[in-house]
Amino acid sequence: MVSIKTRKPRLHKRLLRNWQLYLLLAPTLFYFLVFKYYPMYGLQIAFKDYLPSLGIWGSEWVGWDHFVRFFQSYQFWEIIENTLVLSLYELAVGFPLPIILALMLNMLISTKYRRFIQTIVYAPHFISVVVLVGILFVFLSPSSGLINHFIVLFGGEPINFMASPEWFKTLYVFSGVWQGTGFAAIIYLAALAGVDPSLHEAAVMDGASKLKRVLHIDIPAIMPVSIIMLILALGNLMNLGFEKALLMQTPLNKESSNIIATYVYEVGIQQAQYSFGTAVGLFNSVINLILLVTVNQIARKVSENSLW
Amino acid sequence: MNPLNRTKGDKAFDAVNVTLLTLGCLLVLYPLYFILIASISDPNRIFAGDVLFLPKGITFDGYERIFSDPGIWNGFKNTFLYSSLGTAISVTLTITAGYALSRTDLVGRNVIMIFLLITLFFHGGMIPTYLVVRDLGMVNTVWAMVIPNAVGLWNVIICRTFFQTSIPKDMLEAAQIDGCNDLKFFSKIVVPLSKPIIAVMVLFHVVTHWNSFFDALIYLNNDSLYPLQLILRNLLIQSEVSSQMIGDIESNQAQLAVAEQIKYGVIIVSSIPLLILYPFLQKYFVKGVMIGSIKG
């Protein structure tokens, strides 16, 4: 047998042949180097006493000091608890709702009405966080807000919602539901659109009710997507919608609105304690990474669906 | 499915389903509707709780005050600048990178993808990023608003998937035989064929820029550079209604009332550009999410 060797061109020749593609790619790679990778290099200031005059490299090492200071600070447990409770609360309410909405929309008989509802429920997604929180403030205003008018109308006492720590988490979660549920349902609707109609027809033949079809056809069909979404959500557990929390924060609700990200902003940007802020942020990222890897591992074992 | 075959149970299911969805719809819609009618109602009647379903004592006073405020206009102007410049930069970077990564003959494609994907799982965080932007001298310049968040990896992946599925390989080969190089192929053939994905990207970025406020909060401290969202925040959340807007009103009570009306009006005014785009936004956003969800 004669084997004919087809020689691959040398690497640098192949690289050269691609040079125009690299040219197209270069600006974006450069962007990632400067704005994503260089900040990773900057993370070392979490272990240093960063002084702008000495630069990242030149500043003095202090080891774990900033972390220890964070763990020992009187706010530590409050911040961790707020971050975790708020995330889990949001996950418990915000994760299942888009799935339920998608299942309900999918079962609507009139496609016209379905499209009409979708148009409406998508709309709040396009409102900015600033406007969303602005709406919360005007609606919940103790003197002029709509909600308090209703409370007074039914004989209650007006509540100063935005100044009450006990209301912060509920307002945060349910305003998010109002804004995001419709849009988040899209991905599940796409998965449901891929279900083979003959499955449903066969089920009808066998006398399955609509509810049974939802339970035994639709829900299994969207399981893989749901699990991926859940992994992503759990991996981001500590990465709350920080902008909204910051906007909703008032001095009076701070004991319940102070989360890791707002704390990083406060100490790192406002008080310019760069090293300490970086240490707190790094702590957060590492926990997220551990969560993501763990959850992915578990998902792979129990369901064969995983990110990698 | 033939609706005639519906059993009693199915009918009950449908009735409950339609009712719940309609209720949900009203819950989403009503706050938006209320803001609209409140913005053109007599502020005293809003305060009294009179305005619920229809505007009462219609007045456009609030809008006149908003539009006579130079701060709002300046905010619009800045936001317009940041949105158009930022979108141009972002879309260019996203499309070019997406195309290059879609080419299977790109040497080192997987290594580059991993290089990019790592940033999804691990990143420097707020402070180190802030320090980079500051050290580059971008603080208090237009660039801080358009460069630091120029590229979203997710968008690059959406574009890559689009190019992979919609630009046939044969086309590239045919063009190469005719002596077309990669740059020419990209600009003369790929871009004209990719209008849908470019439209999706333009809308994504316009909306993001229009709504973004946090970059402005940390990178700008000169109010002449403030985008609309930062002005909105001061007005809506910190209740800093400028004296220019309500200074001519004497009693404190009346000032408070008008300030509330201005808030409703400003929510509408700031959202108008997106409301006009909404029919396109919805369609293209759904498309984008779908393309993105097919393959990671």
Side-chain angles (χ1 to χ4, degrees), chain A residues 43-50 60-73 76 263 273-280 282-283:
Chain A
L43 271 175
Q44 57 178 288
I45 66 170
F47 305 95
K48 291 184 166 189
D49 251 334
Y50 175 70
E60 195 193 337
W61 286 98
V62 294
W64 297 92
D65 282 10
H66 298 297
F67 292 88
V68 173
R69 200 181 122 205
F70 176 51
F71 299 147
Q72 287 174 346
S73 77
F76 177 74
Y263 186 64
Q273 302 182 44
Y274 298 126
S275 284
F276 183 63
T278 305
V280 178
L282 180 60
F283 168 76

Coordinates of all heavy atoms in Angstrom, one line a residue, chain A residues 43-50 60-73 76 263 273-280 282-283:
Chain A
L43 N -6.1 42.6 39.9 CA -6.7 42.0 41.1 C -5.7 41.8 42.2 O -6.0 41.7 43.4 CB -7.2 40.6 40.8 CG -8.7 40.5 40.3 CD1 -9.0 39.1 39.9 CD2 -9.6 41.0 41.4
Q44 N -4.4 41.8 41.9 CA -3.4 41.6 42.9 C -3.4 42.7 43.9 O -2.9 42.5 45.0 CB -2.0 41.5 42.3 CG -1.6 42.7 41.4 CD -0.2 42.5 40.9 OE1 0.7 42.7 41.6 NE2 -0.1 42.3 39.6
I45 N -4.0 43.9 43.6 CA -4.0 44.9 44.6 C -4.9 44.5 45.8 O -4.8 45.1 46.9 CB -4.5 46.3 44.1 CG1 -5.9 46.3 43.7 CG2 -3.5 46.8 43.0 CD1 -6.4 47.7 43.4
A46 N -5.7 43.5 45.7 CA -6.4 42.9 46.8 C -5.4 42.5 47.9 O -5.8 42.4 49.1 CB -7.3 41.8 46.4
F47 N -4.2 42.1 47.5 CA -3.2 41.6 48.5 C -2.1 42.7 48.7 O -1.1 42.4 49.3 CB -2.6 40.3 47.9 CG -3.6 39.3 47.6 CD1 -4.0 39.2 46.3 CD2 -4.1 38.4 48.6 CE1 -5.0 38.2 45.9 CE2 -5.0 37.5 48.2 CZ -5.4 37.3 46.9
K48 N -2.4 43.9 48.2 CA -1.4 44.9 48.4 C -2.0 46.2 49.0 O -3.2 46.2 49.2 CB -0.8 45.3 47.0 CG 0.0 44.3 46.4 CD 0.6 44.8 45.1 CE 1.8 43.8 44.6 NZ 2.5 44.4 43.5
D49 N -1.2 47.1 49.4 CA -1.7 48.4 49.8 C -1.5 49.3 48.6 O -0.5 49.9 48.4 CB -1.0 49.0 51.0 CG -1.9 48.9 52.2 OD1 -3.1 49.0 52.0 OD2 -1.3 48.9 53.3
Y50 N -2.6 49.4 47.8 CA -2.4 50.1 46.5 C -2.3 51.6 46.7 O -3.1 52.2 47.3 CB -3.6 49.8 45.6 CG -3.6 50.6 44.3 CD1 -2.7 50.3 43.3 CD2 -4.5 51.6 44.1 CE1 -2.7 51.0 42.1 CE2 -4.5 52.3 42.9 CZ -3.6 52.0 41.9 OH -3.6 52.7 40.7
E60 N 3.0 47.9 48.0 CA 3.5 46.9 48.9 C 2.6 45.8 49.2 O 1.4 46.0 49.4 CB 3.9 47.7 50.2 CG 4.8 46.9 51.2 CD 4.8 47.6 52.5 OE1 4.5 48.8 52.6 OE2 5.1 46.9 53.5
W61 N 3.1 44.5 49.3 CA 2.3 43.4 49.6 C 1.9 43.4 51.1 O 2.6 43.7 52.0 CB 3.1 42.1 49.4 CG 3.3 41.7 48.0 CD1 4.4 42.0 47.3 CD2 2.4 41.1 47.1 NE1 4.2 41.5 46.0 CE2 3.0 40.9 45.9 CE3 1.1 40.5 47.3 CZ2 2.4 40.3 44.8 CZ3 0.5 39.9 46.2 CH2 1.1 39.9 45.0
V62 N 0.6 43.1 51.3 CA 0.1 42.9 52.7 C -0.5 41.6 52.9 O -1.1 41.4 54.0 CB -0.8 44.1 53.1 CG1 -0.2 45.4 53.1 CG2 -2.1 44.1 52.2
G63 N -0.5 40.7 51.9 CA -1.1 39.4 52.1 C -2.6 39.5 52.3 O -3.3 40.2 51.5
W64 N -3.1 38.7 53.3 CA -4.6 38.6 53.4 C -5.2 39.6 54.3 O -6.4 39.5 54.6 CB -4.9 37.2 54.0 CG -4.4 36.1 53.1 CD1 -3.2 35.4 53.1 CD2 -5.2 35.5 52.0 NE1 -3.2 34.5 52.1 CE2 -4.3 34.5 51.4 CE3 -6.4 35.7 51.4 CZ2 -4.7 33.8 50.3 CZ3 -6.8 35.0 50.3 CH2 -6.0 34.0 49.8
D65 N -4.5 40.7 54.6 CA -5.0 41.7 55.5 C -6.4 42.2 55.2 O -7.2 42.3 56.0 CB -4.0 42.9 55.6 CG -2.8 42.6 56.4 OD1 -2.6 41.4 56.8 OD2 -2.0 43.5 56.7
H66 N -6.6 42.6 53.9 CA -7.9 43.2 53.5 C -9.0 42.2 53.7 O -10.1 42.6 54.1 CB -7.8 43.7 52.1 CG -6.8 44.8 51.9 ND1 -6.9 46.0 52.5 CD2 -5.7 44.8 51.1 CE1 -5.8 46.7 52.2 NE2 -5.1 46.0 51.3
F67 N -8.7 40.9 53.4 CA -9.7 39.9 53.5 C -10.1 39.7 55.0 O -11.3 39.7 55.3 CB -9.3 38.6 52.9 CG -9.1 38.6 51.4 CD1 -7.9 39.0 50.8 CD2 -10.2 38.3 50.6 CE1 -7.8 39.1 49.5 CE2 -10.1 38.3 49.2 CZ -8.9 38.7 48.7
V68 N -9.1 39.7 55.8 CA -9.3 39.5 57.2 C -10.1 40.7 57.8 O -11.1 40.5 58.5 CB -7.9 39.4 58.0 CG1 -8.2 39.4 59.5 CG2 -7.2 38.1 57.5
R69 N -9.8 41.8 57.3 CA -10.5 43.0 57.8 C -12.0 42.9 57.4 O -12.8 43.3 58.2 CB -9.9 44.3 57.1 CG -10.2 45.5 57.9 CD -9.6 46.7 57.2 NE -10.6 47.7 56.8 CZ -10.5 48.6 55.8 NH1 -9.4 48.6 55.0 NH2 -11.5 49.4 55.5
F70 N -12.2 42.4 56.1 CA -13.6 42.3 55.7 C -14.3 41.3 56.5 O -15.4 41.5 57.0 CB -13.6 41.9 54.2 CG -15.0 41.7 53.6 CD1 -16.0 42.6 53.8 CD2 -15.2 40.5 52.9 CE1 -17.3 42.3 53.3 CE2 -16.5 40.2 52.4 CZ -17.5 41.2 52.6
F71 N -13.7 40.1 56.8 CA -14.3 39.0 57.5 C -14.6 39.5 59.0 O -15.6 39.0 59.6 CB -13.5 37.8 57.6 CG -13.2 37.2 56.2 CD1 -12.1 36.5 55.9 CD2 -14.2 37.3 55.2 CE1 -11.8 36.0 54.6 CE2 -14.0 36.8 53.9 CZ -12.8 36.1 53.6
Q72 N -13.8 40.3 59.5 CA -14.0 40.7 60.9 C -14.8 42.0 61.0 O -15.1 42.4 62.1 CB -12.6 41.0 61.5 CG -11.9 39.7 61.7 CD -10.5 39.9 62.3 OE1 -9.9 41.0 62.2 NE2 -9.8 38.8 62.8
S73 N -15.2 42.6 59.9 CA -15.9 43.9 60.0 C -17.3 43.6 60.5 O -17.9 42.5 60.3 CB -16.0 44.6 58.7 OG -16.9 44.0 57.8
F76 N -20.0 42.4 58.0 CA -19.7 41.2 57.2 C -21.0 40.3 57.1 O -21.5 40.0 56.0 CB -18.5 40.4 57.7 CG -18.3 39.1 56.9 CD1 -17.7 39.2 55.6 CD2 -18.5 37.9 57.5 CE1 -17.5 38.0 54.9 CE2 -18.3 36.7 56.8 CZ -17.8 36.8 55.5
Y263 N -21.7 47.4 48.6 CA -20.6 47.6 49.5 C -19.3 47.9 48.8 O -18.5 48.8 49.2 CB -20.5 46.4 50.5 CG -19.5 46.6 51.6 CD1 -19.7 47.6 52.6 CD2 -18.4 45.8 51.7 CE1 -18.8 47.7 53.6 CE2 -17.5 45.9 52.8 CZ -17.7 46.9 53.7 OH -16.9 47.1 54.7
Q273 N -11.1 53.3 48.7 CA -10.3 52.3 49.4 C -10.1 51.2 48.3 O -10.8 50.1 48.4 CB -10.9 51.7 50.6 CG -11.2 52.7 51.7 CD -11.9 52.1 52.9 OE1 -11.4 51.0 53.4 NE2 -12.9 52.7 53.4
Y274 N -9.2 51.4 47.3 CA -9.2 50.5 46.2 C -8.8 49.1 46.6 O -9.5 48.2 46.1 CB -8.2 51.1 45.2 CG -8.5 52.4 44.6 CD1 -7.7 53.5 44.7 CD2 -9.8 52.6 44.1 CE1 -8.0 54.7 44.2 CE2 -10.2 53.9 43.6 CZ -9.3 54.9 43.6 OH -9.6 56.1 43.2
S275 N -7.8 48.9 47.4 CA -7.4 47.6 47.7 C -8.5 46.8 48.5 O -8.8 45.6 48.1 CB -6.1 47.6 48.5 OG -5.0 47.9 47.7
F276 N -9.1 47.4 49.4 CA -10.1 46.8 50.2 C -11.3 46.4 49.4 O -11.8 45.3 49.4 CB -10.5 47.7 51.4 CG -11.5 47.0 52.3 CD1 -11.2 45.9 53.0 CD2 -12.8 47.6 52.5 CE1 -12.1 45.3 53.9 CE2 -13.7 47.0 53.3 CZ -13.4 45.9 54.0
G277 N -11.7 47.4 48.5 CA -12.9 47.1 47.6 C -12.6 46.0 46.7 O -13.4 45.1 46.5
T278 N -11.4 45.9 46.2 CA -11.0 44.8 45.3 C -11.0 43.5 46.0 O -11.5 42.5 45.5 CB -9.6 45.1 44.7 OG1 -9.6 46.4 44.1 CG2 -9.2 44.0 43.7
A279 N -10.6 43.5 47.3 CA -10.6 42.2 48.0 C -12.0 41.7 48.2 O -12.3 40.5 48.0 CB -9.9 42.4 49.4
V280 N -12.9 42.6 48.5 CA -14.3 42.2 48.7 C -14.9 41.7 47.4 O -15.5 40.6 47.4 CB -15.1 43.4 49.2 CG1 -16.6 43.0 49.4 CG2 -14.6 43.9 50.6
L282 N -13.2 40.4 44.9 CA -12.6 39.1 44.6 C -13.2 38.0 45.4 O -13.5 36.9 44.8 CB -11.1 39.2 44.9 CG -10.2 37.9 44.6 CD1 -10.3 37.6 43.1 CD2 -8.8 38.2 45.0
F283 N -13.4 38.2 46.6 CA -14.1 37.2 47.5 C -15.4 36.8 46.8 O -15.7 35.6 46.7 CB -14.4 37.8 48.9 CG -15.3 37.1 49.8 CD1 -14.9 35.9 50.4 CD2 -16.6 37.5 50.0 CE1 -15.7 35.2 51.2 CE2 -17.5 36.8 50.8 CZ -17.0 35.6 51.4

